[in-house]
Amino acid sequence: MLSIKNLTASINGTPVLKGIDLEIKAGEIHAIMGPNGSGKSTLGKVLAGHPAYEVTGGEVLFEGQNLFEMDADARARAGLFMGFQHPIEVPGVSNASFLRLAYNKKAEAEGRDELDPLEFDDFIREKIKLVSMREEFLDRSLNEGFSGGEKKRNEILQMAVLEPKLAILDELDSGLDIDALRVLGDAVNKLQRADRALLIITHFPRILETIQPQFVHVLSGGRILKSSGKELAVELEERGYDWVLEEAAAGGAR
Amino acid sequence: MTLAATSNLVAELLAGPRPAEWGELREAAETRLAGRDLPTTRDEDWKYTDLKALAGLSFAPAPKATVDISGHLLPEMVGTRQVFVNGHHAPHASCASAVPAGVRFFPMSHASEACHALGSVPNGKSAGLFEDLNTARFQDGAVILVPKNMKVALPLHLLFITQANAPVAVFPRVLVVLERGSELELVEEHHGSGTYLTCPVVEIHVAEGAILRHERVQRDDAEAFHLGTLKAEVAKGGQYHSRTLSFGARLSRQQPWVRLAEGAEASLDGLALLEGQQVADTHSFMHHTEPNASSHQLHKCIVDGKARAVFNGRVRVAPLAQGTDAKQQSRNLLLSESARVDTKPQLEIYADDVKCSHGATVGALDPEELFYLQSRGLNADDARNLLTYGFAADVLTHVPVASLRRALRQLVMARTQAGSLGDLS
Ligand SMILES: Nc1ncnc2c1ncn2[C@@H]1O[C@H](COP(=O)(O)OP(=O)(O)OP(=O)(O)O)[C@@H](O)[C@H]1O
Ligand SMILES: [Mg+2]
């Protein structure tokens, strides 16, 4: 589904990603962990097509297509979704009409029927149940004045509406209370299927108990230093990152 | 100092006969106007708004006319409207049958009652030349009196329509008096076609504990000049909330003055959508005269083409006015390289225990917001149009009359190219 080869990227001339290799196949769940500032969000935003980041080398194929030949919106319509660490507030645009617009743009691209406001109303009512969101949040402006946790809930609602092939969820768990973490974790699991894939960016193994990855990667200094099974998350929690860095340094010196 | 030349627009506007009623008021205004001409950009107050284009024109008094108002009717206000065409009351277009008993809502030309009303409330210091011109020459206007403790359920609707086959000048006038503890929603709209000058004056008295919500819609012709004055006195614990939405006029200036007594609340929100060569100027004056009053201003402009927006937000906190809470925000979205915004707060704070905040932003759309929308599958144009729409529609969120809110949103959608995005309301 996603194939990243030796990806390098910089922001404002500063290299942040320094050679990333990662293969994600349909049906798989991957997790990326790593110290603050190591480039996790950058990787997500580069994949999603944020214009501020410059891709300086390497290649990324998404479903066989060169990702960098597509604008951010084309990537989204092709089935890539990024759940942001810090979702943006958009005053004046109601959550419901934004969700309907996004849904219809994707439907249009896929040659499916668009939904009129009434049809969408029925559709979204089902979706908000999945994330246990109260209806009043549909009438509010997109993310405006939402708490940190409410914004994350809204990200997963968007994911549920768009049903992406690949969802990159950047720190979904930060700012969530215990119940919300369980609800949204379950929602993400329900959305996961054999023809879809997930990339979970997190600092904590807790969310990985609900959304169980087959692969855990450690990203540090713009490189993936270690990849292993889900037991790595627990080991990282117990031991921190230093040993991974040391191991990698030793490996590099060899 | 030489007196103004004979081509003086002020003199020309005063040349016609002085209407008979309110002789003293009018005489005083004429005295203040004697020898005066239009302000120029050398006037600090008019530095950014050049009236040259106005000075070059000549306006006749507006004749009576009939217009079709069916496009302006709002279902929530079927029997609560007074309509004025070219400054004259239009009895056949007006309908006040649903106005609750006790509320007085009538044209000033019903003189006996109006005489009393207009004379009985202090008008305060004149806000300037355009108020004086109105006072000297207004033909008619609306009076609204809400008795003590009456909470009026239906909003009242004021429609001022100008139809100018040749350039005309009109002087709409409104007096609103809310007695103690009363509540009212008022919608004031200005529409028109042709080249004209309109100088509305709205005077408002909100007594102790009374609440007025005032929606103001300016949709004058693209060739019109709109130079408006609003003066609101808000007594102890009273509230005055207004929202001024400016869409039309070649040049418009809104001059809202609000005086707040102890514990009063006021908000003056504004939205201006400008394109082409339009100029929209707002010079507001929020005057905290007594303790513990709070005021709030959110002024937004979207400026495209070679248009120009001006905002000057004066806030005065008198020495007595401890505990004042005053917030002011001016936010401006520039959609073209040649669009221009001049925005400035003017804080005059003479008390020490106050909370005053102000902020101004001028710029293009936020790239992070654009990216967020694009990451959900909207193409760049749709994302831009949606954000532009949202920037404006934000001001409309709390418009209380549903059909008006809808109509305004549609207007904003059309003006922000968001129409292609479907129903956003
Ligand atoms: N706009 C920018 N200008 C300059 N540096 C930036 C910019 N954006 C990101 N960076 C830098 O890039 C590096 C990687 O940032 P990134 O947000 O990807 O880290 P992260 O791994 O997601 O960290 P965290 O765990 O704290 O979320 C950081 O050192 C950051 O300061
Ligand atoms: Mg991050």
Side-chain angles (χ1 to χ4, degrees):
Chain A
M1 172 157 308
L2 186 77
S3 168
I4 305 177
K5 294 210 171 70
N6 198 24
L7 173 64
T8 57
S10 52
I11 178 126
N12 300 331
T14 311
V16 180
L17 301 183
K18 299 172 182 166
I20 304 265
D21 290 283
L22 186 63
E23 287 286 334
I24 300 180
K25 296 198 173 63
E28 291 180 351
I29 300 177
H30 290 244
I32 290 188
M33 303 180 79
N36 293 132
S38 58
K40 303 182 297 298
S41 295
T42 302
L43 175 61
K45 287 192 212 170
V46 166
L47 294 176
H50 195 298
Y53 297 88
E54 191 197 351
V55 175
T56 49
E59 145 183 288
V60 178
L61 296 179
F62 176 57
E63 297 272 85
Q65 277 185 283
N66 181 351
L67 202 61
F68 299 135
E69 280 174 0
M70 298 190 241
D71 286 335
D73 50 301
R75 297 180 199 189
R77 291 192 301 268
L80 185 82
F81 179 89
M82 165 103 181
F84 290 95
Q85 184 176 355
H86 302 292
I88 302 288
E89 302 192 6
V90 184
V93 176
S94 86
N95 206 15
S97 51
F98 168 67
L99 288 164
R100 188 163 53 82
L101 198 55
Y103 176 89
N104 281 340
K105 290 293 169 188
K106 185 146 188 260
E108 186 189 4
E110 292 171 356
R112 286 182 290 123
D113 282 346
E114 297 183 25
L115 298 181
D116 69 28
L118 283 178
E119 293 165 333
F120 188 76
D121 216 46
D122 294 337
F123 170 81
I124 196 70
R125 255 168 238 285
E126 288 306 309
K127 297 294 180 186
I128 58 174
K129 280 186 206 152
L130 186 69
V131 297
S132 304
M133 184 186 273
R134 290 199 310 277
E135 259 177 52
E136 67 203 57
F137 282 91
L138 293 173
D139 294 330
R140 283 174 59 177
S141 287
L142 174 55
N143 291 336
E144 192 191 27
F146 285 28
S147 74
E150 287 162 355
K151 283 180 184 162
K152 295 296 171 70
R153 201 180 287 263
N154 210 26
E155 293 289 284
I156 300 307
L157 177 62
Q158 293 174 26
M159 176 181 166
V161 165
L162 296 172
E163 302 207 51
K165 290 182 185 142
L166 172 65
I168 303 162
L169 302 178
D170 192 358
E171 297 201 20
L172 171 62
D173 49 345
S174 67
L176 287 185
D177 67 46
I178 296 157
D179 290 338
L181 184 59
R182 187 179 38 75
V183 167
L184 296 187
D186 287 345
V188 170
N189 278 336
K190 277 192 199 132
L191 291 166
Q192 174 59 356
R193 297 191 324 208
D195 59 345
R196 295 179 183 168
L198 289 170
L199 178 58
I200 309 291
I201 297 170
T202 184
H203 289 292
F204 307 106
R206 179 163 207 143
I207 188 173
L208 302 180
E209 284 161 24
T210 312
I211 310 173
Q212 297 205 358
Q214 291 90 27
F215 306 93
V216 175
H217 312 275
V218 176
L219 182 65
S220 180
R223 286 190 187 87
I224 291 182
L225 298 186
K226 189 175 179 69
S227 297
S228 187
K230 82 171 212 266
E231 67 288 347
L232 178 58
V234 181
E235 194 174 359
L236 289 170
E237 167 129 295
E238 282 165 6
R239 300 176 61 191
Y241 289 110
D242 282 352
W243 66 277
V244 184
L245 269 67
E246 281 159 21
E247 208 178 270
R254 219 178 304 152
Chain B
M1 259 323 258
T2 53
L3 280 181
T6 45
S7 66
N8 180 334
L9 183 67
V10 174
E12 183 190 308
L13 292 170
L14 292 175
R18 179 196 299 164
E21 304 81 13
W22 301 291
E24 275 177 38
L25 271 182
R26 295 187 197 271
E27 228 181 289
E30 282 185 35
T31 307
R32 287 192 294 273
L33 289 168
R36 291 196 59 190
D37 201 347
L38 293 180
T40 69
T41 51
R42 285 191 303 274
D43 275 276
E44 186 57 31
D45 236 19
W46 291 85
K47 194 167 157 190
Y48 301 110
T49 301
D50 195 339
L51 294 178
K52 227 184 283 160
L54 176 64
L57 293 170
S58 159
F59 299 91
K64 285 192 175 170
T66 51
V67 293
D68 176 15
I69 59 152
S70 51
H72 302 309
L73 299 183
L74 297 167
E76 293 91 338
M77 300 183 280
V78 169
T80 58
R81 74 174 174 278
Q82 295 288 2
V83 182
F84 297 83
V85 178
N86 285 0
H88 305 275
H89 184 238
H92 300 296
S94 303
C95 175
S97 60
V99 175
V103 176
R104 308 294 303 141
F105 183 29
F106 56 87
M108 286 187 179
S109 48
H110 290 195
S112 56
E113 228 175 339
C115 253
H116 179 68
L118 201 65
S120 66
V121 291
N123 174 278
K125 183 171 169 279
S126 167
L129 184 126
F130 295 100
E131 180 187 345
D132 285 335
L133 274 173
N134 177 296
T135 303
R137 284 299 175 268
F138 73 88
Q139 290 287 345
D140 207 340
V143 178
I144 300 170
L145 305 172
V146 183
K148 209 157 82 182
N149 295 329
M150 180 176 279
K151 308 205 179 347
V152 185
L154 290 175
L156 303 187
H157 195 187
L158 276 175
L159 262 174
F160 292 98
I161 300 171
T162 308
Q163 204 173 44
N165 299 320
V168 295
V170 293
F171 302 98
R173 186 93 181 188
V174 181
L175 173 67
V176 184
V177 179
L178 263 62
E179 290 185 3
R180 180 193 299 208
S182 65
E183 286 180 27
L184 178 72
E185 277 171 19
L186 173 65
V187 177
E188 172 198 346
E189 293 190 69
H190 297 264
H191 297 265
S193 65
T195 301
Y196 56 90
L197 164 66
T198 179
C199 304
V201 172
V202 180
E203 286 174 74
I204 293 168
H205 294 262
V206 175
E208 252 184 69
I211 303 176
L212 176 61
R213 296 181 197 283
H214 188 187
E215 308 297 323
R216 314 179 68 213
V217 182
Q218 184 272 98
R219 295 184 63 185
D220 284 304
D221 191 278
E223 290 302 317
F225 296 83
H226 180 121
L227 299 161
T229 304
L230 180 144
K231 300 200 291 192
E233 292 276 347
V234 189
K236 189 171 171 181
Q239 295 182 32
Y240 173 66
H241 301 286
S242 83
R243 196 174 349 247
T244 302
L245 311 163
S246 302
F247 298 96
R250 169 179 177 177
L251 185 153
S252 68
R253 163 117 153 179
Q254 297 289 354
Q255 218 163 274
W257 286 16
V258 181
R259 269 168 62 99
L260 295 142
E262 187 173 349
E265 277 178 43
S267 56
L268 284 180
D269 289 345
L271 169 68
L273 296 193
L274 306 173
E275 61 192 10
Q277 311 254 22
Q278 281 184 293
V279 178
D281 175 344
T282 294
H283 264 65
S284 64
F285 181 22
M286 193 68 86
H287 192 175
H288 287 256
T289 58
E290 292 182 13
N292 303 320
S294 59
S295 67
H296 183 275
Q297 281 178 272
L298 172 63
H299 191 78
K300 284 188 157 187
C301 300
I302 299 181
V303 197
D304 203 348
K306 291 184 173 165
R308 179 160 193 183
V310 181
F311 177 72
N312 189 97
R314 182 174 173 208
V315 177
R316 187 172 195 276
V317 180
L320 261 180
Q322 300 295 355
T324 288
D325 185 355
K327 292 192 190 71
Q328 179 185 91
Q329 261 207 67
S330 157
R331 298 197 53 207
N332 302 279
L333 182 55
L334 295 176
L335 296 184
S336 97
E337 302 256 304
S338 10
R340 174 160 180 186
V341 171
D342 293 284
T343 175
K344 140 168 170 254
Q346 185 183 334
L347 305 185
E348 299 161 10
I349 300 171
Y350 303 102
D352 42 29
D353 177 23
V354 300
K355 272 201 295 197
C356 288
S357 68
H358 64 91
T361 58
V362 180
L365 291 168
D366 178 354
E368 290 298 327
E369 292 181 17
L370 281 168
F371 171 63
Y372 187 61
L373 298 189
Q374 282 185 266
S375 78
R376 299 303 181 243
L378 274 62
N379 69 33
D381 280 343
D382 288 347
R384 257 193 297 276
N385 291 338
L386 186 62
L387 286 180
T388 309
Y389 167 80
F391 180 90
D394 182 32
V395 182
L396 307 177
T397 311
H398 300 291
V399 170
V401 182
S403 65
L404 178 66
R405 186 171 61 239
R406 221 184 145 70
L408 291 169
R409 278 182 173 158
Q410 266 154 16
L411 195 61
V412 168
M413 261 161 73
R415 286 284 290 267
T416 54
Q417 274 83 48
S420 63
L421 302 176
D423 188 349
L424 296 173
S425 42

